[in-house]
Amino acid sequence: MSSTSTPVLVAVAWPYASGSRHLGHLAGAYLPADVFARHQRLKGNEVLMVSGSDVHGTPITVRADAEGVTPQDIVDRYHGEIVRQWGELAISWDLYTTTGTENHAQVTQEMFLAQLENGYIDKRTSDQYFDTEAQRFLPDRYIEGTCPHCAYGEARGDQCDNCGKTLDATELINPRSKITGASPELRSTEHFYFRYSDFNERLREFLQAKQGWRPHVLNFAMGWIEEGLHDRAITRDLDWGIELPVDDLGPGKRIYVWYDAVIGYLSASKEWAQSQDDDERWKHWWENDESRHVYFVGKDNIPFHCLFWPAQLMGAGELHLPDDVPANQYVTFKGGKASASRGVGLTVQEGLDLFQPDGLRYALAANFPEQSDTDISIEEIARRINEELVATWGNLVNRVLSMIAKNYGEQPASNGRSAEDEAILARVDELLAAADGQLGRVELRAALRFAMDAAGEVNAYLNATEPWKLAKTDPERAGVVLATALDAINGVRVGFGPYLPFSSALLDDILGPVEGWQRVPVAPGTPIAKPTPLFVKVDVDEILGEDSDDESA
């Protein structure tokens, strides 16, 4: 590791293990995090990328009740599915765990006790909804009603899926129980509250000091500060969740999911350190002013990661605060927000069944919703793969390797390059440097465009020099052109590397591994055999014929 290496925590939203994840999740948080982490590793930084399945979310208990099984049955089913799909997509976790570990419970309880001792947690009695037919208090997600902000009729008790507003269940109009459908009544219950209001000014200063954050993230978070943060209950009347480390409230209480889930970034870091036989290694990221913490989430998670989590960290002690929260906007499918709970959009598995992993990764990355909502479809994914990935990058690699294999069998010598030859290499280096800057600023969509532009310019260079004709009239010059083209390709593949791990590995086998963010000339004499195409063209008519009844595509 170089002396200038920076410890970078890549902290990724924890998906509920309550159902199949969709392409909106993948494009919103998990693929961007992987692209960023891969780039940071190539830069020589010490990356720790962590996340895991959130097993305490009330969507899990809601689904378990509906199916007549235990919450653990739901967790086991979907955590396994999620882990398998991360492998199929080559998401490069340092640790992917769950919030159901003893380690996570212990770290959560320790943070709770520290905040309690520091005076940021207190007990209060409040009115919460009670289902008289089921004879139980209702957690937020067990309540549905009409959103008071946008009049959406199926808003949840914690958030509206339509407008994205975070809610308190008591704000819903015409609330109803998801268990029985009955209208719940308010009853008094005692819970612990975190005093978020104590941190309003400290969080204002924290946000005002941020430079380069996405405007929609900073504006959203500052809007909450201007309204003033409210204290929130961090326990619920539940039997599924982390047990309280104190017995002040009596039985039937658990720490609530949205308080404990964000603690997973810290607990996962500690779990990773234990797996490295160095229990204190987590401090290199969490008690180090030189580290950088980047959180990858969707825009509905902005308040939790820009406000609530920093407040919890401040309340617990001297732990590193978020340096950037490049929250993405939504991916929509034919205008409807992708949603696992509402069955809108392709699931990750459906995407993997239809497309090569690299093709799927490329098409989603080219449409990352970094600044605004992005609509996607099977047709758009296929177009990106066929017209860009296959026709530009895949075709470039295939034809250069094929010509070298046929005419030389190895990388030719490149002595006596012309100004035209040097110009294309300089241009690739220029675009690679531009992509480096974009990736560092988490402008991943633009960085991918730089890589594709570089591939396009190398194609243009080949069309201008026509080495297939030179091979017959001036073999020596043809060799220089092809050697130059392969050296250029060796730079372009660096730019594509974070996005396309599978095809990058195939090129590693031919050209050697990429070991840094720079173009390295291919050594003359490197054996070049006839290649196999990196990508397969998508037959969109065949796909749509099979899925013609799928309105969500």
Side-chain angles (χ1 to χ4, degrees):
M1 208 60 73
S2 71
S3 59
T4 58
S5 173
T6 300
V8 179
L9 179 76
V10 181
V12 196
W14 292 58
Y16 288 131
S18 59
S20 297
R21 300 299 92 186
H22 55 66
L23 295 188
H25 292 118
L26 182 58
Y30 305 101
L31 183 53
D34 185 58
V35 170
F36 179 78
R38 287 175 179 275
H39 170 254
Q40 290 295 309
R41 293 186 188 108
L42 281 174
K43 294 288 290 181
N45 289 327
E46 299 174 90
V47 172
L48 178 58
M49 185 168 90
V50 297
S51 185
S53 297
D54 183 347
V55 305
H56 294 139
T58 45
I60 294 167
T61 54
V62 169
R63 184 158 199 150
D65 287 345
E67 294 187 12
V69 298
T70 69
Q72 191 62 51
D73 290 331
I74 300 297
V75 167
D76 292 343
R77 181 194 312 167
Y78 290 107
H79 174 66
E81 176 183 298
I82 291 167
V83 168
R84 184 182 70 255
Q85 289 165 354
W86 295 154
E88 292 179 20
L89 288 159
I91 306 297
S92 56
W93 304 108
D94 291 287
L95 179 70
Y96 186 83
T97 181
T98 81
T99 57
T101 65
E102 291 184 14
N103 166 74
H104 177 70
Q106 179 180 338
V107 173
T108 298
Q109 290 166 346
E110 289 172 353
M111 179 168 279
F112 178 96
L113 290 172
Q115 294 161 350
L116 183 66
E117 183 177 350
N118 292 337
Y120 297 119
I121 291 176
D122 58 35
K123 285 188 299 182
R124 304 181 193 181
T125 299
S126 63
D127 290 335
Q128 293 187 8
Y129 280 122
F130 185 86
D131 186 328
T132 56
E133 292 186 20
Q135 284 295 299
R136 58 180 290 184
F137 281 99
L138 298 174
D140 301 343
R141 289 213 177 193
Y142 278 76
I143 308 164
E144 287 185 343
T146 300
C147 175
H149 304 284
C150 70
Y152 177 62
E154 296 180 10
R156 305 191 309 259
D158 60 347
Q159 190 171 39
C160 175
D161 271 341
N162 187 57
C163 69
K165 289 277 191 179
T166 300
L167 301 172
D168 186 286
T170 57
E171 297 179 79
L172 290 175
I173 301 168
N174 298 323
R176 59 188 178 276
S177 168
K178 287 195 70 171
I179 300 174
T180 65
S183 297
E185 63 180 40
L186 290 171
R187 289 190 181 181
S188 295
T189 182
E190 190 175 37
H191 285 290
F192 280 110
Y193 278 68
F194 188 90
R195 299 174 59 88
Y196 291 103
S197 61
D198 289 353
F199 296 89
N200 211 73
E201 291 310 308
R202 288 176 65 181
L203 288 169
R204 185 194 303 274
E205 294 174 4
F206 164 74
L207 292 170
Q208 288 175 338
K210 296 305 178 185
Q211 302 292 323
W213 278 33
R214 293 180 180 173
H216 72 270
V217 174
L218 208 51
N219 292 339
F220 194 170
M222 286 301 296
W224 279 60
I225 292 293
E226 295 306 322
E227 291 181 9
L229 295 182
H230 299 289
D231 302 338
R232 298 172 72 95
I234 59 172
T235 56
R236 289 293 189 275
D237 296 277
L238 288 168
D239 56 8
W240 179 253
I242 293 175
E243 293 184 3
L244 283 160
V246 294
D247 59 5
D248 302 40
L249 299 182
K253 311 284 185 176
R254 290 288 189 275
I255 293 175
Y256 196 45
V257 59
W258 58 255
Y259 170 85
D260 93 79
V262 288
I263 299 172
Y265 303 118
L266 177 60
S267 67
S269 301
K270 292 186 175 185
E271 183 181 339
W272 172 85
Q274 293 164 10
S275 74
Q276 305 299 303
D277 296 323
D278 186 353
D279 290 1
E280 302 300 303
R281 185 63 178 166
W282 64 273
K283 295 180 180 178
H284 187 55
W285 282 267
W286 286 93
E287 296 183 359
N288 183 353
D289 290 340
E290 300 303 315
S291 67
R292 181 186 180 198
H293 289 200
V294 184
Y295 288 78
F296 288 84
V297 300
K299 69 178 177 183
D300 51 347
N301 269 317
I302 290 173
F304 296 97
H305 292 79
C306 297
L307 300 170
F308 300 161
W309 177 228
Q312 288 171 229
L313 290 168
M314 292 173 182
E318 299 299 321
L319 293 169
H320 196 93
L321 301 177
D323 293 292
D324 197 4
V325 185
N328 274 340
Q329 305 270 16
Y330 292 138
V331 170
T332 59
F333 289 79
K334 292 188 176 179
K337 178 201 163 190
S339 169
S341 63
R342 292 161 56 200
V344 177
L346 292 178
T347 66
V348 171
Q349 191 59 55
E350 287 169 336
L352 285 167
D353 290 342
L354 293 175
F355 307 103
Q356 284 181 290
D358 268 2
L360 184 60
R361 287 174 62 110
Y362 174 80
L364 293 179
N367 288 282
F368 278 158
E370 294 174 346
Q371 302 298 337
S372 60
D373 292 353
T374 301
D375 201 67
I376 200 166
S377 63
I378 287 176
E379 295 95 329
E380 170 65 6
I381 295 171
R383 185 191 69 79
R384 290 282 190 180
I385 293 172
N386 291 340
E387 296 180 10
E388 298 174 8
L389 194 58
V390 174
T392 300
W393 175 231
N395 181 57
L396 170 64
V397 172
N398 191 64
R399 65 174 176 160
V400 170
L401 291 177
S402 294
M403 282 188 282
I404 293 176
K406 178 181 177 181
N407 293 287
Y408 306 95
E410 62 183 29
Q411 169 74 329
S414 57
N415 301 326
R417 279 180 171 152
S418 68
E420 187 178 20
D421 304 331
E422 297 293 349
I424 188 59
L425 295 176
R427 181 59 175 155
V428 168
D429 291 344
E430 178 186 339
L431 289 169
L432 195 58
D436 183 33
Q438 298 279 18
L439 283 158
R441 295 188 293 274
V442 203
E443 297 169 3
L444 312 180
R445 187 171 174 173
L448 180 58
R449 176 47 54 189
F450 278 124
M452 189 56 74
D453 286 347
E457 297 207 23
V458 180
N459 270 315
Y461 163 79
L462 284 176
N463 292 336
T465 54
E466 299 182 315
W468 51 89
K469 291 183 179 179
L470 289 172
K472 298 174 183 178
T473 61
D474 189 348
E476 185 175 346
R477 173 61 185 155
V480 173
V481 168
L482 288 170
T484 300
L486 191 56
D487 279 352
I489 285 171
N490 215 33
V492 177
R493 74 175 175 123
V494 175
F496 278 120
Y499 303 86
L500 308 174
F502 295 96
S503 54
S504 294
L506 294 176
L507 290 176
D508 288 348
D509 293 340
I510 300 170
L511 303 174
V514 173
E515 296 180 341
W517 195 263
Q518 59 185 357
R519 178 182 61 82
V520 176
V522 180
T526 298
I528 303 295
K530 182 179 179 180
T532 55
L534 295 179
F535 312 108
V536 176
K537 190 173 182 179
V538 175
D539 188 337
V540 69
D541 291 333
E542 180 180 340
I543 290 175
L544 292 176
E546 294 175 357
D547 294 85
S548 59
D549 294 329
D550 185 359
E551 293 296 326
S552 66

